[in-house]
Amino acid sequence: MNSRLLVILIMFSSLTAFSQTKHCLRASGTVGMNSLFYSIDGGSSKPKLGFGGKFNYTYYFTPNWGIMTGVEASMYSTDGYLDGAYISIDDQIDDEGDVYRKDIYFRDWHENEKILFAEIPVMLTYQYDFGLRKRRKIYIDLGVKVQVPLIANYKVTSGELEIQGYYERWNVTLFGLPNHGFGTQGAKNTAGKLNIPFNISATLGIGFSFEVSKMVDIFIGGTFDYGFMNMKTTDNGDLLCMDANQNLQYNGILNSSAIEKANTVSVQGEVGVRIAVGKQGPGGIYGYRHK
């Protein structure tokens, strides 16, 4: 936790490095696909709707080029879907004392994974004025973000387990016999925490801004982020395990050996305002105004 706080303080200190003119504050909201992506046998990671907010500061050292940082937050949401994934538990004993292998299949299983990140971006920003009497600008932002998880958890929302028994002695599989333990059982309201490390992601933004007043522009655009760090750090074994009372316990996808790697991917729309602060140059907020 101390190392995460240190990263935030180091990155946030860059906010105080700019004391010249042509400063700009930018506040915006985002909505789109913020999800984890991973590969899993008998299932998939399905993106869900995510959202966020940003408060950024930009120093323009030329009419076109600037450096931006700030404080942001993003909620990532993923549907971990399992249908056909299974685990096997050997050396089980049935009511008659015979040995069998228990095969447990996931059917239409949904696990909702949520992560709230606090983010510190460091970006190079470019803008080009194509307006006439009023500013109309296209802008491009490119850089990296440090993402620190504040909340990370999972919850099973639906699905069922199908239990089958394979008897090697007779080479036969039994199923559809709930009175003998070979039936189905619904998903319980299983939930737990996720051990998520800090992340570093590349980020790209593009959009358009329009003048509202001499000091204020509104903008609309989109962003794309890709995380480089592996979000999976825990391995508690199979998706399911047997406890001391022979009850099935669910570990969660990111806490199990079912996947090896998970990365963050974000594609969002963004709407907000940009506000000039401090002493302005001869061209207003962002450089030179057309006459």
Side-chain angles (χ1 to χ4, degrees):
M1 186 64 185
N2 291 336
S3 62
R4 293 178 179 177
L5 181 60
L6 180 60
V7 170
I8 292 178
L9 291 176
I10 291 174
M11 301 299 296
F12 189 76
S13 66
S14 61
L15 283 169
T16 62
F18 310 110
S19 59
Q20 302 180 38
T21 60
K22 300 177 184 176
H23 307 279
C24 169
L25 297 179
R26 174 167 144 177
S28 62
T30 61
V31 64
M33 182 199 75
N34 299 344
S35 294
L36 295 173
F37 274 77
Y38 47 79
S39 176
I40 184 170
D41 291 336
S44 62
S45 61
K46 296 184 176 182
K48 297 187 68 176
L49 192 67
F51 55 90
K54 303 180 180 181
F55 186 78
N56 300 116
Y57 165 79
T58 305
Y59 166 64
Y60 286 95
F61 50 86
T62 78
N64 299 107
W65 292 95
I67 297 175
M68 182 166 64
T69 186
V71 178
E72 303 176 2
S74 291
M75 175 65 77
Y76 281 65
S77 184
T78 310
D79 180 13
Y81 178 67
L82 301 174
D83 192 29
Y86 73 95
I87 68 157
S88 296
I89 304 175
D90 294 319
D91 301 325
Q92 299 297 293
I93 307 296
D94 67 10
D95 296 338
E96 302 296 327
D98 294 316
V99 178
Y100 71 98
R101 184 188 71 209
K102 180 178 286 189
D103 296 329
I104 308 169
Y105 291 83
F106 291 86
R107 303 301 189 194
D108 197 26
W109 188 272
H110 294 267
E111 174 190 302
N112 191 5
E113 300 142 7
K114 288 185 176 293
I115 307 172
L116 175 62
F117 283 109
E119 305 171 326
I120 304 294
V122 177
M123 291 186 282
L124 184 66
T125 181
Y126 173 81
Q127 61 180 5
Y128 176 74
D129 190 342
F130 60 91
L132 296 175
R133 293 182 179 275
K134 292 187 177 182
R135 290 186 305 274
R136 297 179 179 88
K137 293 182 180 290
I138 183 173
Y139 68 86
I140 300 173
D141 304 326
L142 180 63
V144 297
K145 290 181 181 179
V146 175
Q147 298 177 301
V148 180
L150 302 180
I151 301 172
N153 53 55
Y154 73 90
K155 182 178 181 180
V156 176
T157 58
S158 64
E160 63 180 18
L161 301 174
E162 180 184 353
I163 302 173
Q164 301 180 3
Y166 173 71
Y167 290 79
E168 184 178 12
R169 179 180 178 182
W170 299 291
N171 191 27
V172 64
T173 298
L174 300 182
F175 59 93
L177 300 170
N179 291 335
H180 297 278
F182 304 128
T184 61
Q185 63 182 56
K188 300 177 181 178
N189 291 326
T190 304
K193 293 183 178 180
L194 297 172
N195 184 22
I196 301 296
F198 81 91
N199 191 28
I200 297 176
S201 66
T203 180
L204 171 66
I206 186 169
F208 299 89
S209 68
F210 308 90
E211 179 186 276
V212 176
S213 69
K214 183 179 179 180
M215 303 293 290
V216 178
D217 281 12
I218 62 172
F219 70 91
I220 183 169
T223 63
F224 172 78
D225 296 350
Y226 179 81
F228 295 110
M229 309 295 288
N230 186 1
M231 296 291 96
K232 174 183 165 53
T233 61
T234 305
D235 188 346
N236 292 333
D238 288 331
L239 283 166
L240 292 168
C241 63
M242 303 282 283
D243 63 17
N245 297 319
Q246 298 299 298
N247 295 317
L248 291 173
Q249 300 295 328
Y250 181 69
N251 284 321
I253 294 174
L254 268 73
N255 292 334
S256 74
S257 58
I259 64 171
E260 296 182 356
K261 186 178 182 181
N263 295 95
T264 57
V265 177
S266 172
V267 180
Q268 301 181 98
E270 182 177 8
V271 178
V273 296
R274 301 201 288 182
I275 304 172
V277 294
K279 180 182 177 181
Q280 302 303 311
I285 304 178
Y286 309 117
Y288 301 99
R289 183 192 301 273
H290 290 283
K291 297 182 179 180

